[in-house]
């Protein structure tokens, strides 16, 4: 699942509405995986860069446990 961040919120970002289990999270074009915690339909991303890594729009790649619901 690719998630486009229209507004970049910085180091701690929450994405809601997920019904799948997230296995891995990363920034497209970035190095390495992101730390995260999933509680129900909310995904709490930790330690993202302070400023947006992309001047136009930051995109996250979320690897899920199956086809997105």
């Amino acid at each position: 699942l690719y998630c486009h961040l229209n507004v970049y919120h910085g180091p701690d970002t929450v994405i809601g509405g997920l019904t799948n289990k997230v296995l891995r999270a990363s920034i497209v074009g970035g190095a390495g995986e992101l730390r995260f915690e999933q509680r129900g339909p909310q995904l709490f991303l930790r330690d993202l860069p302070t400023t947006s890594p992309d001047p136009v729009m930051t995109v996250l790649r979320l690897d899920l446990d199956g086809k997105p619901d």
Side-chain angles (χ1 to χ4, degrees):
L1 175 69
Y2 290 93
C3 182
H4 298 79
L5 302 180
N6 294 328
V7 177
Y8 190 77
H9 295 284
D12 295 317
T13 298
V14 179
I15 298 172
L18 297 170
T19 56
N20 292 81
K21 180 179 178 184
V22 177
L23 304 175
R24 283 178 294 283
S26 60
I27 296 174
V28 173
E33 294 183 10
L34 299 173
R35 282 189 334 113
F36 67 89
E37 177 185 350
Q38 188 170 7
R39 288 186 239 148
Q42 294 182 314
L43 182 68
F44 296 84
L45 297 159
R46 308 285 186 218
D47 302 328
L48 280 89
T50 303
T51 58
S52 179
D54 188 292
V56 177
M57 184 177 302
T58 298
V59 179
L60 303 176
R61 176 183 168 164
L62 305 178
D63 294 338
L64 308 176
D65 65 349
K67 185 177 178 180
D69 289 332

